[in-house]
Amino acid sequence: MYYKFSDFTQRLTGSVSSTAYSPQGLRSNVPSEASTLIFATPTKVISESGPSLEYMGTNRVPDLQRIFQSSDGVPVHLKRGVPDRLLYRTTMALTVGGALYCLVALYIAAQPKNK
């Protein structure tokens, strides 16, 4: 006897050998015709937008690579100066404050109730 998984009842049911040897997830579903590519062409036609298409703006990757790959002894998370220092110190303050808050909450929870 052959079995297959039933999508309707979510259980094994009896089946014929041809369906048991080619389960639902393993069939080769080759489409008869090729589907059209959705993102193959730009959203604007060149004649609509003028002489140049610029989707993402200027490429800042080389500048950022120059900043982050320089060996000046500064950790990578502080390479961009004051904004990085501000974010780092805020994160550390919130981490220490949260840890202290958890310790205080545990201390309060460990105290017996007064009647």
Side-chain angles (χ1 to χ4, degrees), residues 23-96:
Q24 294 93 347
L26 300 178
R27 284 191 196 140
S28 62
N29 292 332
V30 179
S32 59
E33 59 185 46
S35 61
T36 59
L37 295 175
I38 297 173
F39 300 108
T41 58
T43 55
K44 293 181 181 179
V45 180
I46 294 176
S47 62
E48 293 176 1
S49 64
S52 68
L53 287 174
E54 190 169 319
Y55 289 93
M56 302 298 285
T58 58
N59 187 5
R60 295 182 12 207
V61 172
D63 298 330
L64 293 175
Q65 283 177 339
R66 197 174 312 109
I67 291 170
F68 287 116
Q69 291 177 355
S70 65
S71 61
D72 52 2
V74 179
V76 72
H77 60 275
L78 299 175
K79 289 263 187 181
R80 291 180 71 189
V82 175
D84 283 347
R85 276 186 270 153
L86 181 66
L87 284 172
Y88 177 74
R89 289 180 182 163
T90 303
T91 303
M92 287 298 113
L94 288 172
T95 303
V96 170

Side-chain angles (χ1 to χ4, degrees), residues 5-17:
F5 184 75
S6 173
D7 288 331
F8 183 70
T9 61
Q10 300 295 314
R11 295 182 183 194
L12 288 177
T13 58
S15 70
V16 294
S17 64

